[in-house]
Amino acid sequence: MPGTPPTRFAYLGPEGTFTEAALRTLPAAERGVRTPARSVPEALEAVRSGEADAALVPLENSVGGAIPVTLDELITGSPLMITREVLLPVEFVLAARTLTPLAELRTIAAHPQASAQCRHWLQANVPDAVVVDVLSNATAALSAAAGEYDAAICAPIGVPRNNLAVLAEKVADRAEAVTRFALLTRPGAPAAPTGDDVTSLAVSIRHDQVGALLAVLTELAVRGINLSRIESRPTGEQLGTYVFFLDCTGHVAEARLGEALQGLRRICAEVRFLGSYPKHRLQPESPVAPPRGLSDTDFADSAAWLEQLRNPV
């Protein structure tokens, strides 16, 4: 990360959640001070106010989609910048105070998102148990440890912390579920390009301009920039006005992405730069190559050619 590495980290709490588990994969956070926040806005406000150097919050889930509160926070208030992303496979466990046969379970504590991702497994393995909604995965583990419920669906990190016994592992209906988290800091110079980067943007289009969204996409397509994600959120100002969140391959320091940003600046009502940062890959994978004639080398060559025309030696 650019500048002084962060040492004080806020994250969406409480302790024992997937967000904490994701944060602790970062060496700087493992060594630093980690403070749980009650909500995404509270975690990000800690960064804005200077109480924390960085905050880790969930951005999207491969099953449930984008996290609306995080997107909304990125377009309101003073700007923040994503400096890295963390992908974490989401593996739920069923745990209890003591080893208990599944047939004897009558109540199971779970966060609503967790129970939704484990619905079919629960129906097949504990059909007679009542699933009780709680505020978080950590709360579920705590309540099972206290004996309030027979068991809990929780994150693996909550098992040793609450001295629980695992009754079943990997209870989610989709074993490949992944949550993407974003580490945000106050704005600064992005880290140098790695060759496999993501640039995130929030763009507001003019609602009275015909083909405005097509014009936005064209600015990227004609430069061979791969759009890996697009998400819309209402601005709240009036019906029919939206902000579009874009994840693009490439780095702001690269010529072709820089040209695209200039183009977006000209045609959009507003463009908020949310950061350029290394792409996190769970498995080795080659980045998508730009089409022939649209690589960074091609753009550098064409720029040099134009400069030669304007200023011949």
Side-chain angles (χ1 to χ4, degrees):
M1 266 180 279
T4 304
T7 58
R8 301 171 300 155
F9 296 84
Y11 67 93
L12 176 62
E15 295 180 354
T17 59
F18 286 107
T19 309
E20 185 192 5
L23 180 62
R24 298 189 70 161
T25 65
L26 305 180
E30 185 66 19
R31 295 189 302 267
V33 176
R34 302 177 300 275
T35 304
R38 292 170 294 182
S39 65
V40 169
E42 183 178 285
L44 299 184
E45 184 55 36
V47 178
R48 290 184 170 116
S49 67
E51 295 178 14
D53 303 319
L56 191 78
V57 295
L59 192 59
E60 62 175 322
N61 180 272
S62 61
V63 176
I67 311 300
V69 65
T70 301
L71 298 185
D72 291 343
E73 278 296 308
L74 292 178
I75 58 173
T76 58
S78 56
L80 293 171
M81 191 173 78
I82 301 173
T83 55
R84 71 181 301 165
E85 64 177 4
V86 178
L87 302 184
L88 185 74
V90 177
E91 296 184 355
F92 294 103
V93 298
L94 182 68
R97 283 197 294 179
T98 59
L99 288 174
T100 307
L102 298 185
E104 295 181 12
L105 299 179
R106 294 294 175 263
T107 56
I108 298 174
H111 185 275
Q113 288 187 355
S115 58
Q117 294 186 47
C118 303
R119 184 180 67 220
H120 297 301
W121 189 94
L122 291 168
Q123 290 174 346
N125 293 275
V126 284
D128 296 328
V130 175
V131 179
V132 182
D133 289 347
V134 294
L135 293 176
S136 68
N137 296 306
T139 303
L142 285 168
S143 62
E148 297 175 24
Y149 304 101
D150 295 338
I153 293 177
C154 61
I157 191 176
V159 172
R161 213 164 258 191
N162 295 283
N163 297 314
L164 297 174
V166 175
L167 306 183
E169 295 181 315
K170 299 182 179 180
V171 299
D173 297 333
R174 297 189 180 184
E176 71 279 6
V178 173
T179 295
R180 179 185 178 211
F181 299 86
L183 186 70
L184 291 117
T185 67
R186 290 179 292 279
T194 67
D196 190 13
D197 300 290
V198 180
T199 292
S200 294
L201 309 167
V203 302
S204 300
I205 63 176
R206 298 180 175 88
H207 68 279
D208 58 348
Q209 178 181 338
V210 176
L213 180 57
L214 176 60
V216 168
L217 300 179
T218 299
E219 290 291 335
L220 303 175
V222 298
R223 294 176 175 86
I225 296 171
N226 184 47
L227 183 64
S228 57
R229 184 176 74 97
I230 180 169
E231 189 89 23
S232 66
R233 289 290 296 161
T235 64
E237 297 173 358
Q238 66 182 63
L239 190 64
T241 58
Y242 296 90
V243 174
F244 291 88
F245 291 87
L246 310 177
D247 283 344
C248 312
T249 57
H251 193 284
V252 66
E254 296 167 349
R256 61 194 179 105
L257 188 56
E259 281 194 14
L261 289 178
Q262 292 181 62
L264 294 177
R265 171 71 175 177
R266 291 193 300 269
I267 65 174
C268 293
E270 182 182 358
V271 178
R272 180 172 282 203
F273 174 71
L274 299 178
S276 290
Y277 47 91
K279 185 170 183 60
H280 183 184
R281 297 187 184 275
L282 293 176
Q283 301 292 337
E285 184 181 350
S286 299
V288 177
R292 182 182 178 89
L294 295 176
S295 68
D296 291 311
T297 300
D298 295 325
F299 270 77
D301 288 345
S302 62
W305 173 78
L306 180 60
E307 180 61 26
Q308 176 65 27
L309 295 180
R310 289 172 171 171
N311 299 287
V313 177

